[in-house]
Amino acid sequence: MNISFLKSSHGATFHATKFCFLFGKNLSASFSPQIHNTWFRNFSLNLQYLGCTLSNENSFYKMVDALLSVEEFHGANFTMPYKHSVIDFLRDKVSL
């Protein structure tokens, strides 16, 4: 996956920045990106929190699978209906 598209479409900086995501549907009401990015800035963390609306479960699986191999990927949160799906999906991908 080329994370450059996500960076440029969200106005994120490039130099050594790690990215965190909020995945879900109808994210326009979410304050998570503003809250997290304010916290990151206040503590001088080189992190960017981006909201990513996914239209269906197929796009969810493709996005998560691709992000697991991206060096800049630092973490993610998931809203319903993806909270339960991600646990099953990652159980098959990640060994703990």
PDB file of all heavy atoms in Angstrom, residues 28-63:
ATOM      1  N   SER A  28     -17.844  11.714  10.511  1.00  0.00           N
ATOM      2  CA  SER A  28     -17.923  13.173  10.553  1.00  0.00           C
ATOM      3  C   SER A  28     -18.255  13.705  11.949  1.00  0.00           C
ATOM      4  O   SER A  28     -17.892  14.830  12.286  1.00  0.00           O
ATOM      5  CB  SER A  28     -18.946  13.688   9.544  1.00  0.00           C
ATOM      6  OG  SER A  28     -20.225  13.160   9.840  1.00  0.00           O
ATOM      7  N   ALA A  29     -18.907  12.923  12.776  1.00  0.00           N
ATOM      8  CA  ALA A  29     -19.258  13.359  14.128  1.00  0.00           C
ATOM      9  C   ALA A  29     -18.160  13.058  15.145  1.00  0.00           C
ATOM     10  O   ALA A  29     -18.257  13.471  16.299  1.00  0.00           O
ATOM     11  CB  ALA A  29     -20.559  12.685  14.571  1.00  0.00           C
ATOM     12  N   SER A  30     -17.101  12.378  14.738  1.00  0.00           N
ATOM     13  CA  SER A  30     -16.058  11.970  15.666  1.00  0.00           C
ATOM     14  C   SER A  30     -15.095  13.116  15.980  1.00  0.00           C
ATOM     15  O   SER A  30     -14.617  13.802  15.093  1.00  0.00           O
ATOM     16  CB  SER A  30     -15.267  10.798  15.085  1.00  0.00           C
ATOM     17  OG  SER A  30     -14.202  10.476  15.950  1.00  0.00           O
ATOM     18  N   PHE A  31     -14.802  13.278  17.254  1.00  0.00           N
ATOM     19  CA  PHE A  31     -13.812  14.246  17.700  1.00  0.00           C
ATOM     20  C   PHE A  31     -12.440  13.609  17.875  1.00  0.00           C
ATOM     21  O   PHE A  31     -11.474  14.277  18.239  1.00  0.00           O
ATOM     22  CB  PHE A  31     -14.238  14.883  19.023  1.00  0.00           C
ATOM     23  CG  PHE A  31     -15.438  15.775  18.892  1.00  0.00           C
ATOM     24  CD1 PHE A  31     -16.666  15.376  19.403  1.00  0.00           C
ATOM     25  CD2 PHE A  31     -15.348  16.995  18.262  1.00  0.00           C
ATOM     26  CE1 PHE A  31     -17.779  16.195  19.279  1.00  0.00           C
ATOM     27  CE2 PHE A  31     -16.448  17.824  18.131  1.00  0.00           C
ATOM     28  CZ  PHE A  31     -17.678  17.422  18.644  1.00  0.00           C
ATOM     29  N   SER A  32     -12.334  12.314  17.637  1.00  0.00           N
ATOM     30  CA  SER A  32     -11.074  11.593  17.867  1.00  0.00           C
ATOM     31  C   SER A  32      -9.872  12.204  17.153  1.00  0.00           C
ATOM     32  O   SER A  32      -8.822  12.377  17.775  1.00  0.00           O
ATOM     33  CB  SER A  32     -11.216  10.119  17.491  1.00  0.00           C
ATOM     34  OG  SER A  32     -12.007   9.455  18.436  1.00  0.00           O
ATOM     35  N   PRO A  33      -9.957  12.516  15.857  1.00  0.00           N
ATOM     36  CA  PRO A  33      -8.773  13.102  15.201  1.00  0.00           C
ATOM     37  C   PRO A  33      -8.316  14.413  15.853  1.00  0.00           C
ATOM     38  O   PRO A  33      -7.121  14.599  16.095  1.00  0.00           O
ATOM     39  CB  PRO A  33      -9.222  13.316  13.758  1.00  0.00           C
ATOM     40  CG  PRO A  33     -10.248  12.251  13.552  1.00  0.00           C
ATOM     41  CD  PRO A  33     -10.990  12.189  14.866  1.00  0.00           C
ATOM     42  N   GLN A  34      -9.252  15.312  16.183  1.00  0.00           N
ATOM     43  CA  GLN A  34      -8.868  16.579  16.813  1.00  0.00           C
ATOM     44  C   GLN A  34      -8.260  16.341  18.193  1.00  0.00           C
ATOM     45  O   GLN A  34      -7.249  16.958  18.554  1.00  0.00           O
ATOM     46  CB  GLN A  34     -10.077  17.522  16.948  1.00  0.00           C
ATOM     47  CG  GLN A  34     -10.632  17.965  15.633  1.00  0.00           C
ATOM     48  CD  GLN A  34     -11.955  17.266  15.333  1.00  0.00           C
ATOM     49  OE1 GLN A  34     -12.114  16.071  15.546  1.00  0.00           O
ATOM     50  NE2 GLN A  34     -12.899  18.017  14.813  1.00  0.00           N
ATOM     51  N   ILE A  35      -8.862  15.458  18.977  1.00  0.00           N
ATOM     52  CA  ILE A  35      -8.367  15.188  20.330  1.00  0.00           C
ATOM     53  C   ILE A  35      -6.970  14.582  20.275  1.00  0.00           C
ATOM     54  O   ILE A  35      -6.053  15.041  20.962  1.00  0.00           O
ATOM     55  CB  ILE A  35      -9.339  14.248  21.079  1.00  0.00           C
ATOM     56  CG1 ILE A  35     -10.648  14.987  21.366  1.00  0.00           C
ATOM     57  CG2 ILE A  35      -8.704  13.720  22.363  1.00  0.00           C
ATOM     58  CD1 ILE A  35     -11.767  14.079  21.840  1.00  0.00           C
ATOM     59  N   HIS A  36      -6.798  13.539  19.453  1.00  0.00           N
ATOM     60  CA  HIS A  36      -5.502  12.870  19.379  1.00  0.00           C
ATOM     61  C   HIS A  36      -4.415  13.789  18.813  1.00  0.00           C
ATOM     62  O   HIS A  36      -3.303  13.836  19.335  1.00  0.00           O
ATOM     63  CB  HIS A  36      -5.599  11.590  18.537  1.00  0.00           C
ATOM     64  CG  HIS A  36      -6.250  10.471  19.267  1.00  0.00           C
ATOM     65  ND1 HIS A  36      -7.622  10.306  19.315  1.00  0.00           N
ATOM     66  CD2 HIS A  36      -5.734   9.445  19.969  1.00  0.00           C
ATOM     67  CE1 HIS A  36      -7.909   9.249  20.027  1.00  0.00           C
ATOM     68  NE2 HIS A  36      -6.779   8.686  20.440  1.00  0.00           N
ATOM     69  N   ASN A  37      -4.721  14.495  17.732  1.00  0.00           N
ATOM     70  CA  ASN A  37      -3.711  15.371  17.125  1.00  0.00           C
ATOM     71  C   ASN A  37      -3.316  16.517  18.055  1.00  0.00           C
ATOM     72  O   ASN A  37      -2.152  16.923  18.071  1.00  0.00           O
ATOM     73  CB  ASN A  37      -4.184  15.881  15.769  1.00  0.00           C
ATOM     74  CG  ASN A  37      -4.108  14.791  14.726  1.00  0.00           C
ATOM     75  OD1 ASN A  37      -3.190  13.975  14.721  1.00  0.00           O
ATOM     76  ND2 ASN A  37      -5.093  14.753  13.843  1.00  0.00           N
ATOM     77  N   THR A  38      -4.253  17.033  18.835  1.00  0.00           N
ATOM     78  CA  THR A  38      -3.920  18.063  19.822  1.00  0.00           C
ATOM     79  C   THR A  38      -2.982  17.491  20.877  1.00  0.00           C
ATOM     80  O   THR A  38      -1.975  18.121  21.241  1.00  0.00           O
ATOM     81  CB  THR A  38      -5.202  18.608  20.488  1.00  0.00           C
ATOM     82  OG1 THR A  38      -6.009  19.215  19.476  1.00  0.00           O
ATOM     83  CG2 THR A  38      -4.871  19.631  21.567  1.00  0.00           C
ATOM     84  N   TRP A  39      -3.272  16.319  21.358  1.00  0.00           N
ATOM     85  CA  TRP A  39      -2.427  15.660  22.352  1.00  0.00           C
ATOM     86  C   TRP A  39      -1.037  15.399  21.789  1.00  0.00           C
ATOM     87  O   TRP A  39      -0.033  15.653  22.457  1.00  0.00           O
ATOM     88  CB  TRP A  39      -3.106  14.358  22.783  1.00  0.00           C
ATOM     89  CG  TRP A  39      -2.529  13.735  24.005  1.00  0.00           C
ATOM     90  CD1 TRP A  39      -2.818  14.054  25.299  1.00  0.00           C
ATOM     91  CD2 TRP A  39      -1.561  12.694  24.047  1.00  0.00           C
ATOM     92  NE1 TRP A  39      -2.084  13.250  26.145  1.00  0.00           N
ATOM     93  CE2 TRP A  39      -1.306  12.413  25.408  1.00  0.00           C
ATOM     94  CE3 TRP A  39      -0.877  11.962  23.081  1.00  0.00           C
ATOM     95  CZ2 TRP A  39      -0.400  11.438  25.809  1.00  0.00           C
ATOM     96  CZ3 TRP A  39       0.020  10.993  23.490  1.00  0.00           C
ATOM     97  CH2 TRP A  39       0.250  10.744  24.833  1.00  0.00           C
ATOM     98  N   PHE A  40      -0.981  14.874  20.554  1.00  0.00           N
ATOM     99  CA  PHE A  40       0.318  14.606  19.916  1.00  0.00           C
ATOM    100  C   PHE A  40       1.150  15.884  19.802  1.00  0.00           C
ATOM    101  O   PHE A  40       2.346  15.896  20.082  1.00  0.00           O
ATOM    102  CB  PHE A  40       0.145  13.996  18.525  1.00  0.00           C
ATOM    103  CG  PHE A  40      -0.505  12.635  18.508  1.00  0.00           C
ATOM    104  CD1 PHE A  40      -1.140  12.190  17.354  1.00  0.00           C
ATOM    105  CD2 PHE A  40      -0.497  11.791  19.604  1.00  0.00           C
ATOM    106  CE1 PHE A  40      -1.726  10.938  17.304  1.00  0.00           C
ATOM    107  CE2 PHE A  40      -1.082  10.534  19.566  1.00  0.00           C
ATOM    108  CZ  PHE A  40      -1.698  10.106  18.416  1.00  0.00           C
ATOM    109  N   ARG A  41       0.509  16.979  19.365  1.00  0.00           N
ATOM    110  CA  ARG A  41       1.209  18.265  19.227  1.00  0.00           C
ATOM    111  C   ARG A  41       1.689  18.784  20.583  1.00  0.00           C
ATOM    112  O   ARG A  41       2.821  19.224  20.721  1.00  0.00           O
ATOM    113  CB  ARG A  41       0.268  19.308  18.606  1.00  0.00           C
ATOM    114  CG  ARG A  41       0.634  19.753  17.235  1.00  0.00           C
ATOM    115  CD  ARG A  41      -0.217  20.893  16.713  1.00  0.00           C
ATOM    116  NE  ARG A  41      -1.606  20.968  17.151  1.00  0.00           N
ATOM    117  CZ  ARG A  41      -2.610  20.269  16.628  1.00  0.00           C
ATOM    118  NH1 ARG A  41      -2.405  19.439  15.634  1.00  0.00           N
ATOM    119  NH2 ARG A  41      -3.840  20.417  17.083  1.00  0.00           N
ATOM    120  N   ASN A  42       0.817  18.725  21.580  1.00  0.00           N
ATOM    121  CA  ASN A  42       1.165  19.254  22.909  1.00  0.00           C
ATOM    122  C   ASN A  42       2.329  18.512  23.546  1.00  0.00           C
ATOM    123  O   ASN A  42       3.057  19.088  24.350  1.00  0.00           O
ATOM    124  CB  ASN A  42      -0.042  19.222  23.838  1.00  0.00           C
ATOM    125  CG  ASN A  42      -1.075  20.270  23.482  1.00  0.00           C
ATOM    126  OD1 ASN A  42      -0.790  21.214  22.755  1.00  0.00           O
ATOM    127  ND2 ASN A  42      -2.278  20.103  23.974  1.00  0.00           N
ATOM    128  N   PHE A  43       2.491  17.251  23.199  1.00  0.00           N
ATOM    129  CA  PHE A  43       3.581  16.455  23.759  1.00  0.00           C
ATOM    130  C   PHE A  43       4.715  16.228  22.757  1.00  0.00           C
ATOM    131  O   PHE A  43       5.566  15.362  22.961  1.00  0.00           O
ATOM    132  CB  PHE A  43       3.046  15.128  24.303  1.00  0.00           C
ATOM    133  CG  PHE A  43       2.240  15.311  25.556  1.00  0.00           C
ATOM    134  CD1 PHE A  43       0.861  15.434  25.485  1.00  0.00           C
ATOM    135  CD2 PHE A  43       2.858  15.409  26.778  1.00  0.00           C
ATOM    136  CE1 PHE A  43       0.103  15.619  26.635  1.00  0.00           C
ATOM    137  CE2 PHE A  43       2.121  15.593  27.938  1.00  0.00           C
ATOM    138  CZ  PHE A  43       0.729  15.705  27.863  1.00  0.00           C
ATOM    139  N   SER A  44       4.717  17.018  21.683  1.00  0.00           N
ATOM    140  CA  SER A  44       5.769  16.982  20.655  1.00  0.00           C
ATOM    141  C   SER A  44       6.019  15.576  20.120  1.00  0.00           C
ATOM    142  O   SER A  44       7.157  15.159  19.922  1.00  0.00           O
ATOM    143  CB  SER A  44       7.073  17.563  21.211  1.00  0.00           C
ATOM    144  OG  SER A  44       6.869  18.890  21.615  1.00  0.00           O
ATOM    145  N   LEU A  45       4.943  14.855  19.888  1.00  0.00           N
ATOM    146  CA  LEU A  45       5.045  13.513  19.308  1.00  0.00           C
ATOM    147  C   LEU A  45       4.897  13.606  17.802  1.00  0.00           C
ATOM    148  O   LEU A  45       4.019  14.308  17.298  1.00  0.00           O
ATOM    149  CB  LEU A  45       3.964  12.604  19.898  1.00  0.00           C
ATOM    150  CG  LEU A  45       4.031  12.407  21.409  1.00  0.00           C
ATOM    151  CD1 LEU A  45       2.809  11.638  21.900  1.00  0.00           C
ATOM    152  CD2 LEU A  45       5.311  11.692  21.787  1.00  0.00           C
ATOM    153  N   ASN A  46       5.741  12.926  17.087  1.00  0.00           N
ATOM    154  CA  ASN A  46       5.697  12.949  15.623  1.00  0.00           C
ATOM    155  C   ASN A  46       4.695  11.900  15.127  1.00  0.00           C
ATOM    156  O   ASN A  46       5.057  10.915  14.497  1.00  0.00           O
ATOM    157  CB  ASN A  46       7.088  12.700  15.047  1.00  0.00           C
ATOM    158  CG  ASN A  46       7.193  13.187  13.625  1.00  0.00           C
ATOM    159  OD1 ASN A  46       6.271  13.795  13.096  1.00  0.00           O
ATOM    160  ND2 ASN A  46       8.315  12.914  13.002  1.00  0.00           N
ATOM    161  N   LEU A  47       3.429  12.136  15.487  1.00  0.00           N
ATOM    162  CA  LEU A  47       2.331  11.244  15.112  1.00  0.00           C
ATOM    163  C   LEU A  47       1.222  12.061  14.478  1.00  0.00           C
ATOM    164  O   LEU A  47       1.038  13.239  14.797  1.00  0.00           O
ATOM    165  CB  LEU A  47       1.765  10.536  16.349  1.00  0.00           C
ATOM    166  CG  LEU A  47       2.672   9.544  17.054  1.00  0.00           C
ATOM    167  CD1 LEU A  47       2.116   9.216  18.434  1.00  0.00           C
ATOM    168  CD2 LEU A  47       2.804   8.277  16.230  1.00  0.00           C
ATOM    169  N   GLN A  48       0.470  11.422  13.605  1.00  0.00           N
ATOM    170  CA  GLN A  48      -0.675  12.047  12.954  1.00  0.00           C
ATOM    171  C   GLN A  48      -1.836  11.054  13.039  1.00  0.00           C
ATOM    172  O   GLN A  48      -1.669   9.880  12.723  1.00  0.00           O
ATOM    173  CB  GLN A  48      -0.348  12.356  11.496  1.00  0.00           C
ATOM    174  CG  GLN A  48      -1.425  13.071  10.745  1.00  0.00           C
ATOM    175  CD  GLN A  48      -1.438  14.557  11.034  1.00  0.00           C
ATOM    176  OE1 GLN A  48      -0.394  15.136  11.280  1.00  0.00           O
ATOM    177  NE2 GLN A  48      -2.590  15.166  10.999  1.00  0.00           N
ATOM    178  N   TYR A  49      -2.996  11.518  13.497  1.00  0.00           N
ATOM    179  CA  TYR A  49      -4.184  10.672  13.640  1.00  0.00           C
ATOM    180  C   TYR A  49      -5.158  11.035  12.525  1.00  0.00           C
ATOM    181  O   TYR A  49      -5.572  12.182  12.402  1.00  0.00           O
ATOM    182  CB  TYR A  49      -4.809  10.914  15.010  1.00  0.00           C
ATOM    183  CG  TYR A  49      -5.850   9.916  15.422  1.00  0.00           C
ATOM    184  CD1 TYR A  49      -5.500   8.769  16.113  1.00  0.00           C
ATOM    185  CD2 TYR A  49      -7.189  10.124  15.143  1.00  0.00           C
ATOM    186  CE1 TYR A  49      -6.447   7.846  16.515  1.00  0.00           C
ATOM    187  CE2 TYR A  49      -8.151   9.219  15.540  1.00  0.00           C
ATOM    188  CZ  TYR A  49      -7.774   8.083  16.229  1.00  0.00           C
ATOM    189  OH  TYR A  49      -8.728   7.175  16.617  1.00  0.00           O
ATOM    190  N   LEU A  50      -5.513  10.063  11.701  1.00  0.00           N
ATOM    191  CA  LEU A  50      -6.348  10.306  10.530  1.00  0.00           C
ATOM    192  C   LEU A  50      -7.618   9.473  10.580  1.00  0.00           C
ATOM    193  O   LEU A  50      -7.575   8.284  10.892  1.00  0.00           O
ATOM    194  CB  LEU A  50      -5.580   9.945   9.257  1.00  0.00           C
ATOM    195  CG  LEU A  50      -4.206  10.579   9.067  1.00  0.00           C
ATOM    196  CD1 LEU A  50      -3.505   9.975   7.867  1.00  0.00           C
ATOM    197  CD2 LEU A  50      -4.339  12.077   8.922  1.00  0.00           C
ATOM    198  N   GLY A  51      -8.730  10.099  10.240  1.00  0.00           N
ATOM    199  CA  GLY A  51      -9.988   9.378  10.098  1.00  0.00           C
ATOM    200  C   GLY A  51     -10.086   8.798   8.704  1.00  0.00           C
ATOM    201  O   GLY A  51      -9.727   9.451   7.727  1.00  0.00           O
ATOM    202  N   CYS A  52     -10.536   7.569   8.607  1.00  0.00           N
ATOM    203  CA  CYS A  52     -10.642   6.895   7.314  1.00  0.00           C
ATOM    204  C   CYS A  52     -11.994   6.197   7.222  1.00  0.00           C
ATOM    205  O   CYS A  52     -12.226   5.179   7.882  1.00  0.00           O
ATOM    206  CB  CYS A  52      -9.504   5.890   7.173  1.00  0.00           C
ATOM    207  SG  CYS A  52      -9.400   5.140   5.544  1.00  0.00           S
ATOM    208  N   THR A  53     -12.889   6.779   6.435  1.00  0.00           N
ATOM    209  CA  THR A  53     -14.216   6.197   6.267  1.00  0.00           C
ATOM    210  C   THR A  53     -14.144   5.026   5.303  1.00  0.00           C
ATOM    211  O   THR A  53     -13.586   5.146   4.212  1.00  0.00           O
ATOM    212  CB  THR A  53     -15.199   7.255   5.721  1.00  0.00           C
ATOM    213  OG1 THR A  53     -15.261   8.329   6.654  1.00  0.00           O
ATOM    214  CG2 THR A  53     -16.573   6.669   5.517  1.00  0.00           C
ATOM    215  N   LEU A  54     -14.688   3.911   5.740  1.00  0.00           N
ATOM    216  CA  LEU A  54     -14.725   2.710   4.903  1.00  0.00           C
ATOM    217  C   LEU A  54     -16.179   2.420   4.553  1.00  0.00           C
ATOM    218  O   LEU A  54     -17.048   2.416   5.429  1.00  0.00           O
ATOM    219  CB  LEU A  54     -14.107   1.519   5.648  1.00  0.00           C
ATOM    220  CG  LEU A  54     -12.647   1.704   6.061  1.00  0.00           C
ATOM    221  CD1 LEU A  54     -12.201   0.551   6.944  1.00  0.00           C
ATOM    222  CD2 LEU A  54     -11.769   1.800   4.838  1.00  0.00           C
ATOM    223  N   SER A  55     -16.423   2.179   3.284  1.00  0.00           N
ATOM    224  CA  SER A  55     -17.803   2.031   2.826  1.00  0.00           C
ATOM    225  C   SER A  55     -18.367   0.629   3.004  1.00  0.00           C
ATOM    226  O   SER A  55     -19.575   0.461   3.087  1.00  0.00           O
ATOM    227  CB  SER A  55     -17.908   2.445   1.360  1.00  0.00           C
ATOM    228  OG  SER A  55     -17.009   1.657   0.595  1.00  0.00           O
ATOM    229  N   ASN A  56     -17.493  -0.360   3.058  1.00  0.00           N
ATOM    230  CA  ASN A  56     -18.000  -1.727   3.200  1.00  0.00           C
ATOM    231  C   ASN A  56     -16.942  -2.621   3.832  1.00  0.00           C
ATOM    232  O   ASN A  56     -15.786  -2.236   3.982  1.00  0.00           O
ATOM    233  CB  ASN A  56     -18.457  -2.287   1.849  1.00  0.00           C
ATOM    234  CG  ASN A  56     -17.336  -2.303   0.844  1.00  0.00           C
ATOM    235  OD1 ASN A  56     -16.270  -2.869   1.085  1.00  0.00           O
ATOM    236  ND2 ASN A  56     -17.550  -1.668  -0.306  1.00  0.00           N
ATOM    237  N   GLU A  57     -17.327  -3.826   4.186  1.00  0.00           N
ATOM    238  CA  GLU A  57     -16.410  -4.733   4.867  1.00  0.00           C
ATOM    239  C   GLU A  57     -15.244  -5.154   3.985  1.00  0.00           C
ATOM    240  O   GLU A  57     -14.132  -5.352   4.464  1.00  0.00           O
ATOM    241  CB  GLU A  57     -17.171  -5.967   5.360  1.00  0.00           C
ATOM    242  CG  GLU A  57     -16.419  -6.693   6.446  1.00  0.00           C
ATOM    243  CD  GLU A  57     -17.296  -7.609   7.259  1.00  0.00           C
ATOM    244  OE1 GLU A  57     -18.301  -7.126   7.801  1.00  0.00           O
ATOM    245  OE2 GLU A  57     -16.956  -8.795   7.351  1.00  0.00           O
ATOM    246  N   ASN A  58     -15.470  -5.259   2.693  1.00  0.00           N
ATOM    247  CA  ASN A  58     -14.389  -5.632   1.778  1.00  0.00           C
ATOM    248  C   ASN A  58     -13.278  -4.579   1.784  1.00  0.00           C
ATOM    249  O   ASN A  58     -12.099  -4.904   1.830  1.00  0.00           O
ATOM    250  CB  ASN A  58     -14.934  -5.843   0.366  1.00  0.00           C
ATOM    251  CG  ASN A  58     -13.897  -6.448  -0.550  1.00  0.00           C
ATOM    252  OD1 ASN A  58     -13.143  -7.337  -0.148  1.00  0.00           O
ATOM    253  ND2 ASN A  58     -13.851  -5.981  -1.785  1.00  0.00           N
ATOM    254  N   SER A  59     -13.643  -3.292   1.756  1.00  0.00           N
ATOM    255  CA  SER A  59     -12.626  -2.239   1.791  1.00  0.00           C
ATOM    256  C   SER A  59     -11.911  -2.234   3.146  1.00  0.00           C
ATOM    257  O   SER A  59     -10.720  -1.930   3.227  1.00  0.00           O
ATOM    258  CB  SER A  59     -13.235  -0.870   1.491  1.00  0.00           C
ATOM    259  OG  SER A  59     -14.189  -0.505   2.456  1.00  0.00           O
ATOM    260  N   PHE A  60     -12.606  -2.592   4.189  1.00  0.00           N
ATOM    261  CA  PHE A  60     -12.003  -2.700   5.519  1.00  0.00           C
ATOM    262  C   PHE A  60     -10.890  -3.741   5.529  1.00  0.00           C
ATOM    263  O   PHE A  60      -9.775  -3.477   5.967  1.00  0.00           O
ATOM    264  CB  PHE A  60     -13.084  -3.065   6.547  1.00  0.00           C
ATOM    265  CG  PHE A  60     -12.549  -3.642   7.817  1.00  0.00           C
ATOM    266  CD1 PHE A  60     -11.981  -2.823   8.777  1.00  0.00           C
ATOM    267  CD2 PHE A  60     -12.608  -4.998   8.053  1.00  0.00           C
ATOM    268  CE1 PHE A  60     -11.483  -3.353   9.959  1.00  0.00           C
ATOM    269  CE2 PHE A  60     -12.131  -5.536   9.233  1.00  0.00           C
ATOM    270  CZ  PHE A  60     -11.571  -4.713  10.185  1.00  0.00           C
ATOM    271  N   TYR A  61     -11.157  -4.944   5.033  1.00  0.00           N
ATOM    272  CA  TYR A  61     -10.159  -6.013   5.025  1.00  0.00           C
ATOM    273  C   TYR A  61      -8.945  -5.647   4.173  1.00  0.00           C
ATOM    274  O   TYR A  61      -7.808  -5.880   4.575  1.00  0.00           O
ATOM    275  CB  TYR A  61     -10.763  -7.328   4.532  1.00  0.00           C
ATOM    276  CG  TYR A  61     -11.740  -7.931   5.506  1.00  0.00           C
ATOM    277  CD1 TYR A  61     -13.049  -8.171   5.139  1.00  0.00           C
ATOM    278  CD2 TYR A  61     -11.353  -8.252   6.807  1.00  0.00           C
ATOM    279  CE1 TYR A  61     -13.950  -8.719   6.041  1.00  0.00           C
ATOM    280  CE2 TYR A  61     -12.244  -8.794   7.707  1.00  0.00           C
ATOM    281  CZ  TYR A  61     -13.544  -9.027   7.321  1.00  0.00           C
ATOM    282  OH  TYR A  61     -14.424  -9.563   8.212  1.00  0.00           O
ATOM    283  N   LYS A  62      -9.178  -5.039   3.031  1.00  0.00           N
ATOM    284  CA  LYS A  62      -8.066  -4.639   2.161  1.00  0.00           C
ATOM    285  C   LYS A  62      -7.189  -3.581   2.828  1.00  0.00           C
ATOM    286  O   LYS A  62      -5.966  -3.648   2.776  1.00  0.00           O
ATOM    287  CB  LYS A  62      -8.603  -4.105   0.833  1.00  0.00           C
ATOM    288  CG  LYS A  62      -9.129  -5.171  -0.084  1.00  0.00           C
ATOM    289  CD  LYS A  62      -9.631  -4.558  -1.375  1.00  0.00           C
ATOM    290  CE  LYS A  62     -10.186  -5.620  -2.295  1.00  0.00           C
ATOM    291  NZ  LYS A  62     -10.715  -5.030  -3.534  1.00  0.00           N
ATOM    292  N   MET A  63      -7.806  -2.602   3.468  1.00  0.00           N
ATOM    293  CA  MET A  63      -7.057  -1.519   4.091  1.00  0.00           C
ATOM    294  C   MET A  63      -6.237  -2.037   5.269  1.00  0.00           C
ATOM    295  O   MET A  63      -5.043  -1.734   5.385  1.00  0.00           O
ATOM    296  CB  MET A  63      -8.009  -0.416   4.572  1.00  0.00           C
ATOM    297  CG  MET A  63      -7.319   0.734   5.246  1.00  0.00           C
ATOM    298  SD  MET A  63      -6.254   1.705   4.162  1.00  0.00           S
ATOM    299  CE  MET A  63      -7.475   2.628   3.271  1.00  0.00           C
TER     300      MET A  63
END
